[in-house]
Amino acid sequence: SSKIRNRDVQSADDVAVLEDCIDFSLAKTISQTEDKLQKGGLPDCLGDDIIPSVGNEIRAEAQIRLLKAKLRVMQEELDSVVCECRKKDDENQNLKSQLRDAEEEKSRLQQTISVQHSQTEKYKLLSQEANKKSEGLQQEVVALEKVLR
């Protein structure tokens, strides 16, 4: 970016300015084209790019400067878009990493839940067995109390 700015500053004299094209008038060109259309004749350059038709009125040097200026602007826009794409790619990679981490955490938590669920089932069975054993022992205590009386 700084290199581009330095290049722009150094070659600012290459930029087409209004003074370079004093003979050029957009209104005059449009008027001439409209006159030709009204007379029934089409302009010679209708299928061509607009620059060649303007090129007859702008010196070749000024036209080259204009194209260079357009090229620099387009290059700056391209650099800006490339920079934005890189930022989006970085953000995308960051989000992918976060997603991968979240999926790993989800998997780990599901394993923990599964282990805790199996432990809960195991303790329920142990509790049921302990309750049955307790009932059996209580019945035995009642029977022994009857024997002792």
Side-chain angles (χ1 to χ4, degrees):
S1 167
S2 63
K3 291 179 184 177
I4 293 171
R5 286 190 190 123
N6 290 339
R7 196 173 0 138
D8 288 345
V9 170
Q10 292 170 356
S11 62
D13 58 337
D14 290 340
V15 177
V17 291
L18 188 58
E19 295 150 6
D20 291 336
C21 50
I22 294 173
D23 295 324
F24 175 72
S25 168
L26 185 58
K28 180 180 166 185
T29 304
I30 291 172
S31 174
Q32 288 173 354
T33 305
E34 287 175 345
D35 289 340
K36 286 182 183 179
L37 287 173
Q38 287 175 354
K39 291 177 184 176
L42 294 175
D44 298 334
C45 60
L46 189 61
D48 295 342
D49 189 17
I50 193 72
I51 295 295
S53 68
V54 174
N56 295 331
E57 297 184 23
I58 298 178
R59 295 187 338 243
E61 205 175 290
Q63 185 178 1
I64 289 171
R65 281 184 259 162
L66 176 67
L67 292 172
K68 284 181 179 180
K70 285 184 177 183
L71 178 63
R72 278 193 301 275
V73 169
M74 291 173 72
Q75 184 64 45
E76 287 175 2
E77 289 175 358
L78 177 63
D79 291 343
S80 173
V81 168
V82 166
C83 181
E84 190 174 326
C85 284
R86 286 184 181 142
K87 286 179 184 177
K88 294 290 182 183
D89 284 343
D90 290 344
E91 183 180 350
N92 194 19
Q93 291 300 324
N94 186 24
L95 290 173
K96 283 181 181 179
S97 175
Q98 289 178 3
L99 177 62
R100 189 172 41 257
D101 291 345
E103 287 174 347
E104 289 173 2
E105 179 74 8
K106 177 185 170 189
S107 176
R108 188 181 58 78
L109 290 173
Q110 284 178 335
Q111 287 177 336
T112 302
I113 289 171
S114 177
V115 167
Q116 289 177 347
H117 183 67
S118 65
Q119 286 178 345
T120 302
E121 291 299 318
K122 176 181 155 185
Y123 289 129
K124 280 182 184 178
L125 290 173
L126 287 173
S127 174
Q128 288 174 353
E129 288 177 13
N131 284 339
K132 287 180 184 177
K133 188 174 183 180
S134 174
E135 287 177 15
L137 289 174
Q138 284 179 352
Q139 288 176 359
E140 192 175 319
V141 166
V142 169
L144 287 174
E145 284 179 352
K146 285 183 183 177
V147 169
L148 288 175
R149 286 187 209 180

